[in-house]
Amino acid sequence: MSKIKIITDSNSGILQEEGKQLDLFVIPMPFTINGEEYFEEITMSQEQFFEHLAKGAEVTTSQPSQYYLEELWTELLKDYDELLYIPMSSGLSKTCENAQKLAENFNGKVFVVDNLRISVTQKESVFEALALAKQGKTAAEIKEYLESTKDKMSIYIVPAVLKYLKKGGRISPAAAMLGDILKVKPILYSNGLKFEKYGIALAMNQAKTKMIMKIKQDLETTFKQEYEAGKMTISVAHTQNEEEALKFKEEIMAKLPNVKFRFVDPLSLSVSCHIGAGALAVATCINNYLD
């Protein structure tokens, strides 16, 4: 049986200490603040990041360098037969594509998964991969499974403020101004490829209600077979909004008591810089290998 090391990145929401406990390697995603490079949870905490963001710092996201990945993979392959890397969605970053090209230099020992996941859905993929590795599956088999189920997920997110979406060019300045005046909150949807506007709400409570209703609809239609088999899970993510996220969890569980609830996690800093503090998100995702 091949000895497999599973690798992911901090976009999964898996913290460094948790990664060690799970025997994972979690790559800290790089980003720059006012031209200086930092690494999530290594050289900057969530609290420090949001302090900079609130002060209007210039924040840009990046990806692990090819040199870093090459050195990491070379070192890990001294102790493992195969590596399985689960990065953030190729629809949201070039990280996956660049890693796939680099993996071609490793003689079939490095497998890069492209299953369009981010945040709690990416984390769920990691847990499935861990379960499959314990069953003795090869890295190639795990990659094939994860990519075959890439469409078994959906995410809805509502930002508390619009200025970061405006700054990133995701909505126009006029739309942001009108939204701020009317206190309108856009609800964004993603299937892993990109984030699109699903709807609008006049308040956070209304946005939460709409997101729960849409997740319920997804479970009863798009994911009906998996839902009825007890294979779909639900998680919540947030940006500096844990108290409201925990309340949101209770509201979801009251409306959808038959779905397995999994995580309440902070969104990664790579995502947070585009939406700011106070955001809430809910996701449903398949996991065929829960105990």
Side-chain angles (χ1 to χ4, degrees):
M1 184 173 71
S2 294
K3 190 178 180 184
I4 301 172
K5 183 69 171 182
I6 296 171
I7 307 167
T8 189
D9 59 46
S10 56
N11 284 305
S12 65
I14 298 175
L15 304 177
Q16 292 295 322
E17 186 58 37
E18 185 181 6
K20 291 175 184 177
Q21 293 172 1
L22 294 169
D23 195 25
L24 297 168
F25 192 95
V26 181
I27 296 173
M29 292 298 287
F31 56 93
T32 62
I33 295 180
N34 297 329
E36 187 171 348
E37 187 173 59
Y38 297 90
F39 294 88
E40 184 165 359
E41 209 196 343
I42 301 296
T43 55
M44 182 166 287
S45 68
Q46 288 254 341
E47 291 74 17
Q48 291 170 325
F49 174 84
F50 281 103
E51 286 175 8
H52 283 286
L53 200 63
K55 293 176 182 177
E58 189 63 35
V59 180
T60 58
T61 57
S62 185
Q63 59 180 290
S65 70
Q66 297 292 86
Y67 174 78
Y68 171 84
L69 288 179
E70 185 173 13
E71 290 289 298
L72 173 65
W73 294 351
T74 299
E75 187 64 26
L76 289 174
L77 283 170
K78 293 178 182 178
D79 298 314
Y80 295 89
D81 301 313
E82 298 178 319
L83 306 179
L84 182 79
Y85 179 28
I86 308 173
M88 68 183 295
S89 168
S90 63
L92 301 172
S93 169
K94 289 289 186 183
T95 300
C96 184
E97 179 183 343
N98 291 335
Q100 287 174 325
K101 290 177 182 177
L102 181 62
E104 295 173 3
N105 301 330
F106 281 80
N107 302 315
K109 294 183 178 181
V110 178
F111 297 81
V112 180
V113 175
D114 184 12
N115 68 334
L116 307 181
R117 301 301 172 84
I118 185 71
S119 185
V120 289
T121 63
Q122 184 180 350
K123 185 174 182 176
E124 201 72 85
S125 292
V126 171
F127 277 85
E128 284 200 293
L130 288 168
L132 287 165
K134 287 180 180 178
Q135 292 179 16
K137 301 295 184 183
T138 65
E141 289 171 330
I142 300 171
K143 169 181 162 70
E144 181 180 5
Y145 165 75
L146 292 178
E147 293 182 344
S148 72
T149 56
K150 64 184 177 183
D151 60 337
K152 304 299 183 183
M153 56 81 70
S154 59
I155 301 173
Y156 296 90
I157 183 168
V158 56
V161 294
L162 300 179
K163 68 177 182 179
Y164 300 103
L165 291 172
K166 178 185 73 175
K167 188 175 182 179
R170 287 162 175 79
I171 60 174
S172 69
M177 181 181 295
L178 183 62
D180 286 338
I181 291 171
L182 299 176
K183 304 300 181 185
V184 170
K185 299 186 181 300
I187 301 170
L188 307 178
Y189 160 78
S190 179
N191 60 359
L193 287 170
K194 59 182 178 179
F195 282 91
E196 301 176 327
K197 189 177 81 171
Y198 159 67
I200 59 172
L202 298 178
M204 184 61 81
N205 282 339
Q206 186 184 66
K208 289 193 292 182
T209 297
K210 286 189 174 186
M211 288 193 290
I212 294 173
M213 289 174 62
K214 191 63 180 73
I215 283 287
K216 184 174 186 294
Q217 181 183 346
D218 288 350
L219 290 169
E220 293 175 348
T221 56
T222 308
F223 311 126
K224 186 175 187 292
Q225 182 176 344
E226 294 82 7
Y227 173 48
E228 291 180 348
K231 301 299 184 180
M232 297 301 293
T233 68
I234 289 184
S235 295
V236 164
H238 66 93
T239 54
Q240 289 293 93
N241 203 11
E242 185 175 21
E243 184 177 346
E244 286 302 314
L246 290 170
K247 290 179 183 177
F248 192 26
K249 170 191 173 181
E250 295 304 317
E251 293 170 23
I252 292 167
M253 292 179 68
K255 296 285 180 62
L256 295 166
N258 298 323
V259 187
K260 295 172 183 174
F261 195 98
R262 296 280 281 157
F263 315 118
V264 177
D265 283 356
L267 282 163
S268 72
L269 301 185
S270 297
V271 177
S272 299
C273 69
H274 298 299
I275 55 176
L280 287 176
V282 59
T284 186
C285 183
I286 196 168
N287 189 326
N288 279 299
Y289 299 98
L290 283 174
D291 294 333

